[in-house]
Amino acid sequence: MKYLPLVLTNLFRKKTRTALTAGSFAVALFLFGILTVVDGAFQQGVDVAGVDRLVVLNRVSIIQPLPLSYRDQLARIPGVTQVTFANWFGGVYQDERNFFPQFAIDRETYRQMFPEFVLPDAEWQAFLADREGAVVGESLAERFKWKVGDRIPIKGTIFPGTWEFNIRGIYRGRRVQDDTTQFWFRWDYLDERKTFLKGWVGWYTVRIANPDDAVRLVKAIDEHFANSPAETKTDTEKAFAASFVKQMGNIQLLIMSIGSVVFFTLLLVTGNTMAIAVRERTRELAASSSGTGWSRRGAGTSSRPARRHGVHEHALFQVQDDARALRGQPAPGRRRTQADLTWPSRSSTTCAACGRAGPRASWPCWALRGRWAYSWPCSRSRAASRPRWWPRGRRATRS
C-alpha cells in the first residue's frame, strides 16, 4: 500500500493507453469465458449421466435399429433391473433451423428409467390416454410459447409425412443442468404409422443393480447378442453422451489452444505497454538517480527514498573517480590532459595546469579528480582545457 498512490498516478498518466490495455484484457477474458461456456454446454450431458444406466446400441452404427425382441432378453440378464427403449424421429417444425431432439419412447417404462425428469401425474396420465399425445421440456415450451393442449405439426424426414401431436404435459428437470429441450411422443404411434422397420427400436437403456458391476454387465450383454443378426455395443450412459461430443471434434483441445494463444497475446501486450512506459519515463528515472527525487504532487509519493538512492550512487561514483585520478587515468568521457599527469603537493601554490603561481584555494582539485574544469585556478588553463562543446562565456563555479 506504500506505493499505491504512485501506481494509480502512473495508470492515469496516459488514459488512452490504460483504457486500450484494459479493453484488450476484457475482450480476451470475455472470449475465454465464452469458450468455457461452450465447453460446459457440450459436457452437460456427460456430467448428468446416470452411473447405474447402460446404453445398448447396434454394433454397426447408432442409426441402425435393434429388434424389439431384445427387450425381454435384456431383462433376463442377471444384474439388470429395468429396461426401456427409444427411437430417434428427426422431424422439422416449421423451419429446419428450429431443431430440437424428438424421441419416440416406451410409454410404460421411460418415466421410471429417468426420474430426474419431473412431470405431474395428471399430465402423464393424459399422455398415456392420447395416442397422439406428446410431452415437451420446459425450455422447449418457453422457446416456442407452447402450452398444454396445443396441437403441433411436425414434418418427418426419416419417416415421411406430416405428424401432428397434442401437447399433454410439460416436464422440468430436478437439476439445473438437466436437459429440458426434448420432445417425447409414444413409440406405438410411430410403429403404427411408419411403413418400414416395424418392430424395431433405436436403442435400449438398462438399469443395473450395482454400478460397480458395469464393466462385467457391458461384456455380458455384448457376448449374449454375439453372432446374432443385430450385434450390440454397450456403453455406460456417460460414455454414450461423450461419444456425441467427440463426433464434433476435440472441443477441449480446441478451447485450450485458443485460451493459450489469448493469454500469450496478453503477455505481449503487457510487456509492450511496460516497455513504452519505461521508455517515456527515462528522464524521471534519471532525476531519481541524481538524488533530486520526485515531489508528492508530481509522483504521489515521498522523495526521501529517491534522494537517499541518489546520494549513495554519487558517493560510489566519487570513489571511482578518485581511484582513477590516483592511477593517472582520466574520467570516463574526458580526454587526458597534462593536468591529469600532475598532482600538486599540499604545500604547492603553483597551478598544475599552466604553471602559474596562485593561492592555495585555487588548486585544480576537481579537475585532477576527474571532473571538468569547474574550479580551475586561472582563465588561461580553463580556456585551454575546456572541450570543444563547452559554451563560450559560461562561468565556472568553485566546488
Side-chain angles (χ1 to χ4, degrees):
M1 302 297 293
K2 178 179 179 181
Y3 296 100
L4 181 60
L6 178 62
V7 174
L8 295 178
T9 302
N10 189 46
L11 285 178
F12 292 98
R13 182 185 181 89
K14 297 288 185 178
K15 297 182 180 180
T16 303
R17 181 190 302 160
T18 302
L20 292 177
T21 304
S24 63
F25 273 86
V27 171
L29 295 177
F30 176 76
L31 176 61
F32 188 75
I34 291 296
L35 294 177
T36 305
V37 171
V38 171
D39 179 61
F42 279 107
Q43 300 295 331
Q44 181 177 1
V46 180
D47 297 335
V48 301
V51 296
D52 59 344
R53 293 194 291 256
L54 304 178
V55 180
V56 183
L57 308 171
N58 192 300
R59 188 177 185 84
V60 177
S61 174
I62 189 175
I63 64 175
Q64 299 296 325
L66 295 171
L68 183 61
S69 59
Y70 280 14
R71 177 180 56 180
D72 297 333
Q73 300 182 45
L74 288 170
R76 291 194 294 266
I77 295 177
V80 176
T81 60
Q82 190 177 2
V83 181
T84 189
F85 59 85
N87 203 109
W88 177 262
F89 183 68
V92 176
Y93 174 68
Q94 294 180 348
D95 194 291
E96 293 183 355
R97 293 174 296 181
N98 297 331
F99 172 80
F100 54 89
Q102 306 145 19
F103 301 121
I105 65 173
D106 180 17
R107 60 188 178 92
E108 298 177 356
T109 58
Y110 199 82
R111 186 187 183 193
Q112 292 75 19
M113 181 64 69
F114 299 95
E116 62 267 25
F117 299 132
V118 181
L119 181 69
D121 293 337
E123 295 181 358
W124 183 257
Q125 294 300 325
F127 168 71
L128 297 179
D130 187 358
R131 197 170 189 81
E132 298 180 349
V135 175
V136 300
E138 186 177 21
S139 300
L140 185 62
E142 293 178 357
R143 176 184 175 187
F144 294 107
K145 309 301 180 183
W146 291 343
K147 60 183 182 298
V148 175
D150 291 348
R151 189 167 180 84
I152 307 300
I154 296 180
K155 182 180 180 181
T157 54
I158 302 175
F159 307 100
T162 300
W163 302 66
E164 295 185 353
F165 303 96
N166 303 316
I167 297 181
R168 297 304 180 188
I170 299 176
Y171 74 88
R172 61 181 179 84
R174 295 183 183 272
R175 299 164 295 185
V176 177
Q177 60 268 32
D178 289 329
D179 186 10
T180 57
T181 62
Q182 300 178 11
F183 184 98
W184 304 341
F185 65 96
R186 292 170 48 167
W187 177 85
D188 54 349
Y189 176 54
L190 173 66
D191 192 62
E192 177 185 349
R193 285 194 53 180
K194 65 183 181 181
T195 59
F196 60 96
L197 295 178
K198 288 182 175 294
W200 291 72
V201 300
W203 62 86
Y204 289 95
T205 303
V206 301
R207 186 187 299 278
I208 59 179
N210 187 2
D212 296 334
D213 296 336
V215 177
R216 180 183 62 82
L217 289 174
V218 166
K219 185 177 180 181
I221 293 173
D222 292 341
E223 289 179 352
H224 180 80
F225 295 105
N227 300 321
S228 62
E231 296 185 352
T232 61
K233 181 180 182 299
T234 307
D235 280 321
T236 61
E237 191 177 54
K238 187 172 184 178
F240 174 71
S243 64
F244 282 96
V245 179
K246 291 181 180 179
Q247 290 178 1
M248 303 189 66
N250 195 339
I251 304 298
Q252 291 184 344
L253 178 61
L254 178 63
I255 292 176
M256 290 300 297
S257 300
I258 296 177
S260 300
V261 173
V262 168
F263 282 108
F264 180 73
T265 305
L266 289 180
L267 291 177
L268 295 180
V269 172
T270 305
N272 182 65
T273 304
M274 294 175 62
I276 294 177
V278 171
R279 186 163 54 248
E280 288 181 349
R281 304 190 67 180
T282 303
R283 295 179 180 271
E284 297 180 7
L285 294 176
S288 68
S289 65
S290 66
T292 58
W294 298 323
S295 64
R296 292 180 179 268
R297 183 178 301 178
T301 185
S302 175
S303 61
R304 186 175 300 172
R307 292 179 177 178
R308 185 168 56 249
H309 172 72
V311 170
H312 294 167
E313 184 178 0
H314 269 276
L316 178 61
F317 288 161
Q318 186 62 48
V319 171
Q320 293 178 350
D321 291 343
D322 291 344
R324 290 192 185 95
L326 291 175
R327 293 194 302 264
Q329 297 177 356
R334 186 170 68 88
R335 293 177 297 177
R336 183 185 297 269
T337 62
Q338 184 65 28
D340 297 327
L341 303 178
T342 305
W343 184 265
S345 63
R346 288 287 183 178
S347 60
S348 175
T349 58
T350 304
C351 176
C354 62
R356 293 180 60 184
R360 184 184 180 90
S362 61
W363 283 0
C365 55
W366 284 101
L368 298 180
R369 294 184 182 183
R371 302 295 181 179
W372 276 105
Y374 296 152
S375 57
W376 284 59
C378 62
S379 59
R380 182 175 60 179
S381 59
R382 291 200 299 268
S385 301
R386 288 172 183 170
R388 296 180 179 178
W389 46 265
W390 188 266
R392 295 183 178 273
R394 183 170 180 173
R395 297 183 60 185
T397 59
R398 294 180 178 270
S399 57

